[in-house]
Amino acid sequence: MPWHLNWKRNAGRTKNRKLEREDRLKRYLYGSMLESGNQKQQKEIVQELISDIAHQTLTPTAK
């Protein structure tokens, strides 16, 4: 096979590998962003619960 035809075929494979790596990286980064968002949301919920508990323990109950 002539070298220039083989080179074109290999160039196509290289491009596909590059696109696959880019796709994997995008999926990883998107997943990381979602995970980070969940952590922030969980932190806010915990802070609200702590605030509610603190308020309930400091406020006298009516008899």
Side-chain angles (χ1 to χ4, degrees), residues 10-21:
N10 288 337
R13 288 181 190 155
T14 303
K15 186 175 183 179
N16 286 340
R17 286 187 202 135
K18 181 181 176 188
L19 292 174
E20 288 173 7
R21 283 193 304 263

Side-chain angles (χ1 to χ4, degrees), residues 5-32:
L5 294 178
N6 194 27
W7 177 81
K8 286 182 180 181
R9 184 173 15 182
N10 288 337
R13 288 181 190 155
T14 303
K15 186 175 183 179
N16 286 340
R17 286 187 202 135
K18 181 181 176 188
L19 292 174
E20 288 173 7
R21 283 193 304 263
E22 288 177 359
D23 187 48
R24 282 193 306 235
L25 181 60
K26 286 177 188 176
R27 283 185 280 153
Y28 172 77
L29 292 174
Y30 181 72
S32 295

Side-chain angles (χ1 to χ4, degrees), residues 14-54:
T14 303
K15 186 175 183 179
N16 286 340
R17 286 187 202 135
K18 181 181 176 188
L19 292 174
E20 288 173 7
R21 283 193 304 263
E22 288 177 359
D23 187 48
R24 282 193 306 235
L25 181 60
K26 286 177 188 176
R27 283 185 280 153
Y28 172 77
L29 292 174
Y30 181 72
S32 295
M33 286 178 12
L34 289 178
E35 186 175 309
S36 175
N38 285 340
Q39 289 175 351
K40 288 178 185 178
Q41 186 179 21
Q42 289 174 355
K43 182 178 178 181
E44 290 173 1
I45 291 171
V46 170
Q47 286 176 340
E48 289 175 14
L49 289 173
I50 290 172
S51 176
D52 289 346
I53 292 169

